[in-house]
Amino acid sequence: MSITITPAANERMRHFLAGTPTAAGVRFGVRRSGCSGFAYVVDLADAVGEGDSLVEVDGLPLIVDDKSLSLVDGTVIDFQRQGLNASFVFHNPNATGECGCGESFTVG
């Protein structure tokens, strides 16, 4: 499995982890949602559970559930600020389409 985290996203994730020292890492995956099928999930994880994979990306503990692995393999996670807005941005080679608002995606 290959996931890339840009320096900006890494810094942002480390900021969240520093605020919650008991967190096991950052959970990254997908859930069914939106008009296109899947939405990304980025959150702090309390623990690595059964059915989770723990990978270290540039020293950052990233936890991905086994159901999401094939859907996020190869994804580049970035963090961008545009005016007052700030968000994670995902470049996923598995996505074959996205909804107009960019909140959800489909796979082929």
Side-chain angles (χ1 to χ4, degrees):
M1 177 184 65
S2 170
I3 295 175
T4 303
I5 300 175
T6 67
N10 190 308
E11 181 180 326
R12 185 67 171 175
M13 290 178 184
R14 286 183 187 281
H15 172 76
F16 286 124
L17 283 172
T20 310
T22 58
V26 175
R27 178 167 299 282
F28 175 57
V30 298
R31 62 179 167 77
R32 288 207 170 272
S33 177
C35 50
S36 289
F38 294 100
Y40 295 103
V41 175
V42 179
D43 202 356
L44 295 179
D46 295 329
V48 179
E50 188 173 321
D52 286 338
S53 293
L54 173 65
V55 294
E56 190 171 300
V57 181
D58 296 327
L60 184 80
L62 195 65
I63 300 165
V64 181
D65 67 272
D66 291 342
K67 293 178 183 176
S68 297
L69 280 175
S70 65
L71 299 172
V72 298
D73 189 27
T75 298
V76 176
I77 306 172
D78 194 9
F79 181 77
Q80 297 179 351
R81 292 185 183 276
Q82 295 177 339
L84 297 176
N85 298 319
S87 63
F88 288 105
V89 178
F90 309 96
H91 305 282
N92 185 343
N94 303 301
T96 57
E98 294 181 342
C99 68
C101 64
E103 292 294 319
S104 61
F105 69 98
T106 58
V107 293

